[in-house]
């Protein structure tokens, strides 16, 4: 069963990675970076302060925990444990894939980019639940951000999907911790 899933994952990767265009390569490389998203992060933090004032601190602690959880589970735990080569390090694909912008570390299961992006999307959806409907668009951003990793040849689709799941779980747990801490430290006697 696992072998069949890996086979489907590799076939889907090859199909998706082949959907490329010369003009799109630098766009996807820029999109997968961190610096380009600083205005988005500042926009979100602005609304955290606007909506929560003094209690914003606890929600910012929570997003830090969510990203820490997502990134460490993906990079420090899962990648070395599973040891699945990135497609760009797999000799079977060397002449067949688009690998624009370099390869990164040896192992790719799971995608840290995906886990972090879905942690951010999930966490802020929980923070702004019922207050800011536009926050749901963060899931589209996370999906496109994660897809860049397949497009650039550094992750299989399965790496992205499981990474997204890690991010969602980390965000939910971190949000619960942030709410607990906020309620514990801001309760009135």
């Amino acid at each position: 069963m696992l072998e069949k899933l890996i086979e489907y994952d590799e076939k889907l990767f090859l199909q998706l990675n082949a959907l490329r265009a010369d003009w799109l390569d630098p766009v996807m490389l820029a999109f997968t970076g961190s610096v380009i998203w600083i205005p988005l992060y500042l926009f979100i933090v602005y609304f955290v302060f606007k909506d929560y004032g003094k209690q914003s601190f606890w929600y910012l602690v929570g997003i830090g925990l969510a990203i820490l959880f997502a990134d460490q589970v993906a990079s420090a735990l899962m990648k070395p444990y599973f040891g699945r080569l990135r497609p760009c390090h797999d000799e079977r694909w060397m002449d067949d894939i688009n690998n624009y912008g370099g390869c990164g570390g040896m192992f790719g299961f799971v995608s840290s980019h995906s886990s972090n992006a879905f942690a951010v999307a999930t966490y802020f959806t929980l923070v702004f639940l019922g207050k800011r409907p536009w926050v749901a668009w963060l899931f589209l951003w996370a999906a496109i951000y994660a897809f860049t990793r397949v497009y650039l040849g550094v992750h299989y689709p399965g790496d992205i999907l499981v990474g997204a799941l890690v991010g969602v779980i980390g965000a939910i747990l971190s949000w619960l911790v942030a709410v607990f801490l906020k309620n514990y430290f801001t309760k009135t006697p």
Side-chain angles (χ1 to χ4, degrees):
M1 168 92 170
L2 184 60
E3 293 82 20
K4 204 65 165 162
L5 283 174
I6 291 172
E7 180 185 333
Y8 289 141
D9 195 26
E10 290 173 349
K11 283 182 182 178
L12 182 58
F13 164 76
L14 291 172
Q15 291 172 344
L16 293 173
N17 182 258
L19 300 173
R20 62 165 304 275
D22 289 337
W23 66 270
L24 195 53
D25 288 349
V27 172
M28 291 298 222
L29 185 61
F31 205 90
T32 203
S34 300
V35 175
I36 193 172
W37 297 112
I38 290 173
L40 174 65
Y41 304 145
L42 292 174
F43 178 77
I44 294 168
V45 168
Y46 165 78
F47 280 102
V48 171
F49 280 107
K50 186 174 193 289
D51 290 355
Y52 294 103
K54 293 178 186 175
Q55 296 178 352
S56 299
F57 172 77
W58 301 110
Y59 293 113
L60 297 178
V61 166
I63 190 58
L65 290 174
I67 292 169
L68 180 67
F69 177 91
D71 193 63
Q72 290 304 299
V73 168
S75 295
L77 184 67
M78 295 182 80
K79 284 180 183 177
Y81 178 79
F82 290 103
R84 184 182 190 194
L85 289 177
R86 291 177 184 264
C88 51
H89 284 304
D90 192 325
E91 291 182 13
R92 297 176 296 162
W93 318 129
M94 291 297 177
D95 297 327
D96 299 326
I97 67 169
N98 173 40
N99 177 233
Y100 185 84
C103 195
M106 288 298 288
F107 304 128
F109 185 80
V110 298
S111 168
S112 301
H113 278 74
S114 181
S115 64
N116 291 335
F118 278 91
V120 168
T122 303
Y123 184 82
F124 284 118
T125 296
L126 293 169
V127 167
F128 292 121
L129 199 60
K131 289 183 173 223
R132 304 280 176 192
W134 55 261
V135 80
W137 285 97
L138 287 175
F139 284 102
L140 177 61
W141 161 78
I144 294 169
Y145 185 70
F147 174 75
T148 65
R149 310 306 289 161
V150 175
Y151 179 93
L152 295 169
V154 295
H155 283 291
Y156 294 102
D159 302 347
I160 300 301
L161 292 174
V162 178
L165 181 62
V166 168
V168 168
I169 291 168
I172 292 169
L173 294 174
S174 299
W175 180 76
L176 291 171
V177 168
V179 169
F180 171 80
L181 291 172
K182 177 187 73 78
N183 291 340
Y184 183 81
F185 287 106
T186 60
K187 63 183 174 189
T188 53

